């Protein structure tokens, strides 16, 4: 499987915050392009010298997405090898309940929501965090 190393677009920006100790300093920031849609991802996989047709790729990706959502809804963390782990976490607010009985009685009402957290892969030398991932990227400064 060939993975093309496409340039990561960045832009040079100057800190204009008068209250900042870094006022006037220049920094590189990610130049965020439009988010790649599921359709765009499917097209990219199909275009990238795949032996599978677009409809096969679309079916598999859509099914994987559906199953991942079902598993996350059931509280099951999902690890995508080489990428990272999607982990559902409860948001129960900051106040909590005074005792277990009150919490159990509140049931679902004690849950404000569920957040899906993503933890990048960090095993088998495939560390996708910070400096190591940055070393895998090619950067291209855009603009002036």
């Amino acid at each position: 499987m060939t993975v093309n190393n496409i340039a990561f677009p960045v832009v040079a920006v100057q800190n204009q915050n008068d209250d900042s100790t870094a006022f006037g300093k220049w920094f590189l920031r990610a130049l965020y392009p439009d988010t790649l849609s599921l359709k765009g991802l499917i097209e990219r996989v199909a275009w990238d010298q795949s032996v599978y047709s677009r409809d096969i790729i679309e079916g598999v990706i859509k099914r994987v997405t559906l199953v991942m959502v079902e598993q996350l809804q059931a509280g099951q963390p999902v690890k995508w090898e080489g990428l990272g782990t999607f982990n559902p976490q409860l948001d129960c607010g900051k106040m909590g309940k005074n005792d277990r009985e009150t919490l159990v009685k509140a049931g679902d009402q004690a849950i404000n929501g569920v957040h899906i957290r993503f933890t990048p892969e960090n095993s088998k030398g495939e560390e996708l965090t910070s400096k190591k991932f940055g070393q895998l990227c090619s950067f291209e400064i855009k603009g002036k």
Side-chain angles (χ1 to χ4, degrees):
M1 177 180 80
T2 303
V3 177
N4 296 326
N5 194 359
I6 301 169
F8 185 137
V10 295
V11 63
V13 295
Q14 188 177 31
N15 182 333
Q16 299 293 319
N17 183 350
D18 294 338
D19 297 328
S20 172
T21 57
F23 175 75
K25 304 272 185 183
W26 287 85
F27 299 90
L28 290 176
R29 296 281 184 248
L31 181 63
Y32 298 108
D34 292 335
T35 300
L36 184 63
S37 67
L38 182 61
K39 181 180 178 185
L41 180 62
I42 291 164
E43 291 297 328
R44 179 74 186 152
V45 172
W47 175 79
D48 204 19
Q49 302 167 352
S50 176
V51 296
Y52 301 104
S53 63
R54 186 193 179 287
D55 60 329
I56 298 285
I57 294 166
E58 181 175 4
V60 170
I61 289 177
K62 285 186 174 182
R63 184 67 184 151
V64 167
T65 301
L66 177 67
V67 171
M68 281 182 68
V69 169
E70 288 173 347
Q71 293 303 300
L72 291 166
Q73 286 174 327
Q76 175 68 52
V78 177
K79 182 174 184 178
W80 192 297
E81 301 295 333
L83 182 61
T85 303
F86 298 85
N87 188 12
Q89 295 181 346
L90 298 180
D91 174 359
C92 295
K94 296 180 181 178
M95 299 307 293
K97 301 294 180 194
N98 290 329
D99 55 69
R100 185 180 188 283
E101 184 178 317
T102 305
L103 176 65
V104 170
K105 195 178 283 186
D108 290 359
Q109 300 304 312
I111 300 170
N112 295 337
V114 178
H115 299 279
I116 305 301
R117 303 289 186 218
F118 176 73
T119 306
E121 178 72 51
N122 196 14
S123 64
K124 302 178 194 169
E126 299 171 348
E127 186 176 348
L128 292 182
T129 57
S130 193
K131 291 183 181 182
K132 292 211 178 197
F133 186 72
Q135 292 169 355
L136 300 173
C137 298
S138 301
F139 299 98
E140 178 182 358
I141 298 175
K142 300 283 189 174
K144 297 179 184 179

